[in-house]
Amino acid sequence: MHSLNKKKVKYLVASTFGASTHGQQVTELIREFHRQSAYVVPDEHVSRRKLLEQVRARYGGELSPYSAAAKKLIVKLQKFAAFFAQQAARFHALAHAPHASASQRHWARRIGGAVDTLGRHTTRWAAALKRTLRATLPHWQTVMQRVKSGLGVIRDNLKVLTSVKAGKHFGKGVHAYLAAQGAIYQKMMASAVAARKQITALKPLKLSNVRSMLGPDSMVVMGPKKVKIIPVTSLFEAPPPAAQQQGAVARFKGEEELASALLAMSQRRQPKIVFIAPGLPDVTGPQSPFTTVVHLLKQNNFKVMSWSPPNPQTGPQPGQTPLPQAMGKGVTWVVFAPPPPNPQMPMPSDNAQLVGLVKKQLAQGGGALFLLDGMAANPMMGMAPPYPFTGILRQYGIALKPGYFTVERYPARGGKHVAAPELQISHFPKTRISAPLQTLSTAFEGMAQGNMVEAGPTYVGLTKAVPGVVAHIFVQTPKSPDIWAETQSTSDRFNAHNDLASPIPLAAMARRGDTRVAAIGNTAFIYDALVNIPQIMSLNGQPVLAPRFPGNTELFLNTIRWLAGYQNMIAVSPRATVALRIGPMGGHSMLVRWASVLTPSALVVALGIGVFMVRRRS
């Protein structure tokens, strides 16, 4: 990564960790980000006070309105204090006046005491504002809220004193005095109301939670306008109980937290992602099989939405919109394949409308990622179901062969072999999307019933050059006699007459002007059930939990970043290798990067369409 953003703004990243194992991990992470970008400036092992001073020096402009308001409020509060002291003295005199009635003495002492208390509280509020002005990083909003509440008390008490109805109960002498002072009380009450409005008009401080969140074990990220505190509880996540029993230690999430903070600070507008999922419920919901990648998108400052085309017979259901929530420039669609038609239950297709919407999305400058799978020929139809977006992708120089699914030949029991739609790739073409993924194990899977393959990773290649279009393949299988693409699962060997020999291209990217498209010939590679498969590794002599296929989430995220025009952020995760620099090992540092999100799952999620996890080889 050559730059963090186009404006070349520098970001200060500091740590308040001491010389501990956790502190070493945080320090190594900050250094790694600095090595990848000169615009990430490290400030290691600083004191809390120094950090507060740096925050104030960098964001002092945001505090200025509060400081100016505080100085004016101090003057007003001092006037109130002097006024209440004067009033308390006069009520004291009324209480001790010759020939004063018992009622007058009672109410004069009572009102005088209340006014005296108000004066003393007002003096304390003014003193609190003075102390806050001298503080390194003041709790302005807390202090201002207290002063505002105090001004409300002043207003309410003066309102009572100006009430003629209430004054009649205070005795003749006190009532006469209150009537004479009525105009002054009204003026002071209006001043209190105006001061409250002045506090209300102050904009909320973005720095309001910095002081309270900044603990002894934190990471601090400071941009040109924002500061974010990442506490130790967000940086380290305890492993699941089962992994703890095997001795696994806390997972370090510093890389994803730091990358997320930098992304949020460097992007002026929050890019939008819309999952276009025909026939599926909310892809972004908690029951979705894609919760991991959805969570990662949100962590990377994307606004994530989901839309499914309404049934053409019944129309939109409650809560379902007739059109996607966002379209055009600044929006990237993730387009799933429509469900294959059922020959026994013919239904009207809304594919034409969906194709029209995708064309409109691209025409308006939006991006699109197409996820599809190779489907075996339907016995009743005699062929594989057509893919409705083939024509759109061909205009961008991307060629599809959705009637083919890719398999790899593996040894099985009894000296036999089986060809299964299970692929593991760890070497990629050198493109903006895939270059950082080198050596990362990435899995692509399909669906099989026994020895019959029904769906699997499919061919996504390039057409002849299209004028004005720049296209590249960014994922392909290695060249091997054990890997090929076929239309029917009839043998465990390559058939030169009907099959496609490897290498098989599985993903392509294309750009025409500002419009970008990509297609990946697999859907299962972003399933929770696949990306969350764990493995226990040994690092520095300690067992740690790591993902079995760390490339899956990185491939998806890098593709989305490129489509959204944030290719400069693709390498924010240093070398995008899914783990992080742990620390010294045998006298040198070892780069081991964690999976973006690790939530071990024993469930294999099935969808009504698309691909399912393949049955493991027996």
Side-chain angles (χ1 to χ4, degrees), residues 213-253:
M213 289 186 64
L214 185 58
D217 293 331
S218 304
M219 184 159 60
V220 184
V221 185
M222 285 187 271
K225 296 181 179 179
K226 300 178 182 177
V227 59
K228 181 172 182 179
I229 309 297
I230 308 176
V232 62
T233 52
S234 297
L235 292 170
F236 293 89
E237 179 182 68
Q244 288 183 11
Q245 292 177 2
Q246 299 183 50
V249 297
R251 183 172 77 88
F252 183 41
K253 301 194 305 176

Side-chain angles (χ1 to χ4, degrees), residues 136-314:
T136 304
L137 192 65
H139 283 297
W140 271 127
Q141 287 182 293
T142 301
V143 175
M144 285 296 188
Q145 188 58 43
R146 291 173 181 170
V147 173
K148 183 179 177 181
S149 299
L151 289 167
V153 173
I154 292 173
R155 175 203 59 198
D156 294 341
N157 278 272
L158 290 172
K159 187 176 182 180
V160 171
L161 295 179
T162 56
S163 171
V164 176
K165 183 177 180 181
K168 292 180 179 180
H169 301 285
F170 296 154
K172 186 176 181 181
V174 173
H175 179 250
Y177 178 77
L178 291 176
Q181 296 290 309
I184 297 175
Y185 289 163
Q186 290 284 356
K187 182 178 179 181
M188 298 300 288
M189 185 169 64
S191 179
V193 171
R196 280 174 56 85
K197 289 182 179 179
Q198 182 185 3
I199 296 174
T200 303
L202 292 171
K203 293 181 179 180
L205 281 172
K206 297 176 183 177
L207 305 176
S208 59
N209 64 341
V210 170
R211 184 172 185 139
S212 57
M213 289 186 64
L214 185 58
D217 293 331
S218 304
M219 184 159 60
V220 184
V221 185
M222 285 187 271
K225 296 181 179 179
K226 300 178 182 177
V227 59
K228 181 172 182 179
I229 309 297
I230 308 176
V232 62
T233 52
S234 297
L235 292 170
F236 293 89
E237 179 182 68
Q244 288 183 11
Q245 292 177 2
Q246 299 183 50
V249 297
R251 183 172 77 88
F252 183 41
K253 301 194 305 176
E255 179 180 338
E256 62 197 67
E257 291 290 339
L258 179 52
S260 176
L262 291 171
L263 280 164
M265 291 182 182
S266 63
Q267 296 171 352
R268 289 189 303 170
R269 297 180 181 178
Q270 187 179 28
K272 298 176 182 177
I273 303 296
V274 183
F275 283 87
I276 307 295
L280 291 179
D282 183 9
V283 172
T284 63
Q287 304 302 318
S288 165
F290 307 107
T291 57
T292 296
V293 293
V294 168
H295 172 71
L296 285 173
L297 287 171
K298 292 178 179 179
Q299 270 201 330
N300 281 266
N301 201 42
F302 289 97
K303 183 177 182 180
V304 186
M305 295 164 277
S306 176
W307 180 76
S308 180
N311 187 302
Q313 285 190 328
T314 61

